[in-house]
Amino acid sequence: MFAEFDEIMPGTVFRLFGRNMWMGKNASLRFVHPGNGSVLNADILKGDAFTLQLKAPLKLEAGVRYKILVSNGAGGAYGEN
């Protein structure tokens, strides 16, 4: 899986590419702050089997390397990468 851009600014619309990206309405993408563990959810605009189009949260902090957790809506707690 890979993102359209190396760096993502707050509020930016971007795409995430991979396989089996969209399996239904429960797909999600979360940004996890490495320092304090706070979580920000991206808005999913649309998706298909190979692409998710998302809008980054407005509260992303500049210069922070967030961990990104993605779920395609299948697999419950085990379906997040």
Side-chain angles (χ1 to χ4, degrees):
M1 170 171 52
F2 64 95
E4 182 172 17
F5 307 114
D6 292 336
E7 297 181 5
I8 299 168
M9 295 180 54
T12 301
V13 174
F14 68 100
R15 293 177 295 172
L16 192 65
F17 302 96
R19 289 191 287 173
N20 300 318
M21 299 298 288
W22 180 264
M23 299 292 284
K25 297 177 184 176
N26 296 325
S28 65
L29 183 134
R30 302 184 301 150
F31 290 85
V32 180
H33 193 286
N36 61 23
S38 62
V39 175
L40 298 169
N41 293 312
D43 295 327
I44 296 179
L45 305 176
K46 64 182 176 178
D48 61 38
F50 303 103
T51 309
L52 286 178
Q53 184 179 33
L54 308 125
K55 183 174 181 182
L58 293 173
K59 294 185 179 183
L60 288 178
E61 295 178 37
V64 175
R65 290 183 69 89
Y66 287 86
K67 180 178 182 179
I68 296 176
L69 298 175
V70 181
S71 173
N72 64 5
Y78 300 106
E80 194 168 62
N81 292 318

